[in-house]
Amino acid sequence: MEKQNIEWGKLGFGYVKTDMRYVSNFKDGAWDEGCLTGDDKVVISECAGVLQYSQSVFEGLKAYTTEDGSIVCFRPDLNASRMADSARRLEMPAFPEDRFVDAVKQVVLANESWVPPYGSGATLYIRPYMFGSNPVIGVKPADEYQFRIFVTPVGPYFKGGAKPITIKIADYDRAAPRGTGHIKAGLNYAMSLHAIVEAHKQGFAENLYPDSATRTKVEETGGANIIFIKGNKFITVGSPTILPSITRRSLEYVAEKYLGLEVEERTVMLSELGDFEEAGLCGTAAVISPVGKIVDGDKEICFPSGMEKMGPTIQKLYDTLTGIQMGRIEAPEGWIYKIK
Ligand code: PLP
Ligand code: COI
């Protein structure tokens, strides 16, 4: 298979139109059989539920070329079940989880020439999403939905790749108690746009949101969970109002079983940020991006790992996770879904 003529190593995290996408429609209470199409345009009513009341959910996962030349995905079953959870919270019909995984496979195979080669530094980002497509004017769920998946080759989410970033404690709130912070709904990202534009203008790479109720606890950033290292401990945030990151849950396993770290998933107070030795953001797009500094108003928390490179423990977590994804390190049962 001839690959696309792309400078893979120069890709950032952006959209590149690829050849094929998957589409399935929900109508009269059932999903149709779905198909691949070359048409990248979505045509829906001007009054579609998604356009009026933002009834949309999405997922993000990646396909990798492994050391032996196979093409694989990382734990797509967890994306399928999280998308079903997201859909239920927004009164949308869940797309069947086995069909989700099969559709991912179909789209990746149909765009094989766009899957970045092993060692190129790039990966194929897969974006499943669904939205209310029929007219809705009173506030209520749509009756018809479209589920789609497209793919796009990507490089690092944050400029500079593995260089530590500086983030700020957000001036805004992200997720209300009993709200939608734990699902992957477009609305959670729409409301973060003003905050991220302001943070970027101020020179920060991301916003770290505190809990909305008390603003005393660490939650997550706009597009990733946060992780910390203190001695032999791997500390992650346990909270019902953050997205249950598949990367973070995988890292908890890797930390304990592969690296012998003690794992603590718990409440993390803003006041203890200064106690940690290393910090990082983790997610499909971010992989693990080291955090060198957190700015909280006029206070700066500078991690001892510094601003030049990843701290040693986060580096080990990064190497092990990416080693598993790229086939260099044996994966736990069921983590690697072989596409080709
Ligand atoms: N938190 C938020 C708000 C996200 O958008 C993402 C990205 O998907 C994550 C965390 C990381 O989740 P995952 O590791 O499943 O990609
Ligand atoms: C991901 O990591 O997949 C995300 O969705 C984060 C961001 C691009 C929204």
Side-chain angles (χ1 to χ4, degrees), residues 64-91:
Y64 310 84
T65 304
T66 60
E67 198 170 25
D68 69 0
S70 305
I71 297 174
V72 304
C73 271
F74 185 69
R75 311 186 79 179
D77 52 318
L78 298 188
N79 294 94
S81 71
R82 189 171 64 188
M83 192 165 185
D85 289 342
S86 297
R88 284 187 281 266
R89 178 63 177 78
L90 292 197
E91 288 294 334

Side-chain angles (χ1 to χ4, degrees), residues 17 28 51 67 120 145 147 162 169 210 214 219 234 237 249 267 289 292:
K17 188 178 141 190
D28 300 326
L51 299 179
E67 198 170 25
S120 65
Y145 294 86
F147 170 85
I169 301 296
T214 69
E219 292 252 285
F234 177 58
V237 174
R249 288 182 273 158
T267 299
S289 300

Side-chain angles (χ1 to χ4, degrees), residues 69-220:
S70 305
I71 297 174
V72 304
C73 271
F74 185 69
R75 311 186 79 179
D77 52 318
L78 298 188
N79 294 94
S81 71
R82 189 171 64 188
M83 192 165 185
D85 289 342
S86 297
R88 284 187 281 266
R89 178 63 177 78
L90 292 197
E91 288 294 334
M92 303 165 88
F95 192 70
E97 294 177 32
D98 53 339
R99 287 192 56 196
F100 176 107
V101 174
D102 180 62
V104 164
K105 180 174 182 172
Q106 287 186 46
V107 184
V108 174
L109 277 177
N111 293 287
E112 194 185 337
S113 66
W114 297 93
V115 184
Y118 176 75
S120 65
T123 50
L124 190 74
Y125 187 70
I126 304 165
R127 174 50 65 85
Y129 59 112
M130 71 185 257
F131 48 87
S133 54
N134 70 304
V136 169
I137 193 71
V139 177
K140 64 173 181 141
D143 305 305
E144 294 174 14
Y145 294 86
Q146 191 164 105
F147 170 85
R148 299 179 73 99
I149 305 178
F150 68 78
V151 296
T152 178
V154 295
Y157 190 66
F158 293 106
K159 277 197 219 87
K163 255 245 294 185
I165 54 174
T166 300
I167 62 177
K168 69 174 283 184
I169 301 296
D171 297 324
Y172 301 88
D173 293 330
R174 176 179 179 274
R178 296 172 291 279
T180 55
H182 61 298
I183 61 161
K184 211 159 166 61
L187 58 91
N188 289 337
Y189 300 82
M191 51 65 61
S192 77
L193 297 176
H194 181 57
I196 194 65
V197 168
E198 281 196 354
H200 283 164
K201 274 192 202 144
Q202 295 160 6
F204 300 103
E206 252 288 15
N207 277 299
L208 177 58
Y209 289 92
D211 74 297
S212 301
T214 69
R215 293 189 67 87
T216 59
K217 298 172 204 159
V218 175
E219 292 252 285
E220 65 173 326

Side-chain angles (χ1 to χ4, degrees), residues 313-332:
T313 306
I314 285 196
Q315 183 75 56
K316 273 188 217 153
L317 284 162
Y318 178 91
D319 291 344
T320 312
L321 178 70
T322 53
I324 289 170
Q325 290 167 336
M326 307 282 178
R328 292 186 295 267
I329 296 176
E330 190 170 342

